[in-house]
């Protein structure tokens, strides 16, 4: 399970590079996206596709290849595999088959945003993407009751909608943060009340880039902090 950068290519670790250079095959979500990244890193290992639409069928095939003596590295388009990306099925199947799973850590957008957010990081929950339609409102109602910092992934065209939905269900003064385009040229880390961030982002003509949204726990108040 090999982490790759979430933007800045200098976050690619020497260890990740060595592993990807030496395994028999690299399983990746998109052979074109990863192919171009790996070529830039001078890695010419063969690729095979492993994505959300073929992972069920492809998992036993990769396990068979490992059992036949090959070594397989799994990467995703960005960040750590298995984090809002394919990977869980393969790691589980490897464990079940007695195959060692070796983590080669790299950046994760959620934790990167949390560390920079200045929101409580001692206890947090990662929710990934909320369902787009069915179950979304139910999930939001549950989440606003959460006492730990909540980390969400959201697409640029739904980020303002997410803030609006949260405003309908929780206190507008609740502290939150947005990490946008982390590690990239237009990186932005915004922090403020839910109302302030909603007002700020909703007046932008277009939302661009990749977003992590963080909401402080229900009872967290900055006045409690020395
Ligand atoms: N596996 C990845 C990880 O370890 O973070 C997450 C993959 S998920 C399909 C993609 C989502 O992660 C984006 O829609 C966005 O919410 C978040 N994300 C990824 N890269 C980001 C970045 N550079 N800045 C902000 N958010 C990012």
């Amino acid at each position: 399970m090999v982490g790759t950068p979430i933007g800045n290519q200098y976050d690619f670790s020497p260890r990740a590079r060595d592993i990807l250079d030496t395994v028999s095959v690299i399983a990746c979500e998109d052979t074109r996206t990863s192919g171009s990244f790996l070529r830039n890193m001078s890695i010419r290992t063969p690729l095979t596709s492993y994505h959300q639409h073929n992972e069920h069928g492809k998992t036993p095939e990769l396990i068979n290849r490992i059992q036949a003596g090959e070594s397989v590295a799994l990467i995703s388009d960005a960040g750590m595999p298995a984090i809002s990306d394919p990977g869980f099925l393969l790691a589980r199947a490897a464990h079940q088959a007695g195959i060692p799973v070796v983590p080669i850590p790299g950046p994760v957008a959620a934790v990167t945003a949390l560390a920079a957010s200045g929101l409580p990081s001692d206890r947090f929950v990662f929710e990934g993407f909320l369902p787009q339609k069915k179950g979304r409102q139910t999930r939001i109602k549950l989440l606003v009751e959460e006492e730990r910092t909540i980390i969400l992934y959201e697409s640029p065209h739904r980020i303002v909608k997410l803030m609006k939905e949260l405003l309908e269900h929780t206190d507008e003064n609740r502290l939150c943060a947005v990490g946008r385009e982390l590690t990239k040229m237009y990186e932005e880390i915004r922090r403020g009340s839910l109302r302030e961030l909603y007002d700020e982002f909703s007046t932008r003509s277009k939302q661009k880039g990749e977003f992590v949204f963080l909401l402080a726990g229900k009872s967290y108040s900055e006045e409690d902090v020395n």
Side-chain angles (χ1 to χ4, degrees):
M1 310 292 281
V2 183
T4 56
I6 55 169
N8 192 317
Q9 311 248 311
Y10 286 98
D11 292 333
F12 189 46
S13 79
R15 183 171 173 229
R17 205 204 158 278
D18 278 356
I19 294 286
L20 295 180
D21 206 26
T22 49
V23 288
S24 324
V25 63
I26 300 172
C28 61
E29 282 185 273
D30 183 328
T31 50
R32 280 171 62 184
T33 306
S34 293
S36 132
F37 166 71
L38 294 167
R39 265 194 308 281
N40 286 342
M41 298 294 146
S42 307
I43 295 168
R44 288 176 188 82
T45 306
L47 304 180
T48 186
S49 78
Y50 186 81
H51 49 70
Q52 58 174 336
H53 304 294
N54 75 358
E55 59 181 337
H56 283 272
K58 206 73 192 264
T59 297
E61 189 186 314
L62 291 176
I63 295 294
N64 285 342
R65 287 179 73 162
I66 299 169
Q67 284 171 331
E70 289 190 74
S71 51
V72 176
L74 178 67
I75 61 172
S76 62
D77 284 353
M80 278 306 283
I83 308 300
S84 291
D85 270 334
F88 155 65
L89 290 182
L90 187 59
R92 183 179 65 177
H95 282 289
Q96 288 169 344
I99 296 164
V101 178
V102 184
I104 316 291
V108 173
V111 177
T112 304
L114 175 66
S117 69
L119 297 186
S121 51
D122 50 346
R123 297 192 310 146
F124 61 89
V125 283
F126 173 61
E127 276 284 324
F129 291 98
L130 290 177
Q132 284 177 29
K133 293 198 178 86
K134 199 167 168 283
R136 185 175 173 96
Q137 293 307 316
T138 316
R139 189 77 70 86
I140 288 176
K141 281 184 201 152
L142 275 175
L143 281 181
V144 294
E145 298 304 318
E146 175 59 58
E147 293 291 351
R148 296 165 290 183
T149 299
I150 302 147
I151 312 177
L152 294 163
Y153 285 165
E154 192 50 283
S155 74
H157 50 274
R158 267 188 299 271
I159 188 76
V160 169
K161 177 176 177 241
L162 172 67
M163 290 188 226
K164 187 160 180 280
E165 290 167 324
L166 287 168
L167 274 172
E168 284 160 13
H169 291 101
T170 191
D171 180 0
E172 66 173 13
N173 294 314
R174 195 152 162 182
L175 201 58
C176 56
V178 169
R180 187 178 80 85
E181 292 289 88
L182 296 166
T183 77
K184 303 185 199 177
M185 189 184 295
Y186 297 106
E187 177 178 270
E188 193 177 19
I189 293 152
R190 304 289 305 132
R191 183 183 197 268
S193 73
L194 187 53
R195 169 62 61 190
E196 284 165 344
L197 289 195
Y198 171 75
D199 287 348
E200 180 183 333
F201 281 89
S202 62
T203 51
R204 295 185 182 185
S205 60
K206 194 165 183 263
Q207 311 301 327
K208 287 190 200 137
E210 296 193 283
F211 288 84
V212 181
F213 186 84
L214 304 99
L215 187 67
K218 189 182 178 187
S219 309
Y220 178 71
S221 158
E222 223 88 294
E223 283 145 35
D224 301 339
V225 182
N226 294 320

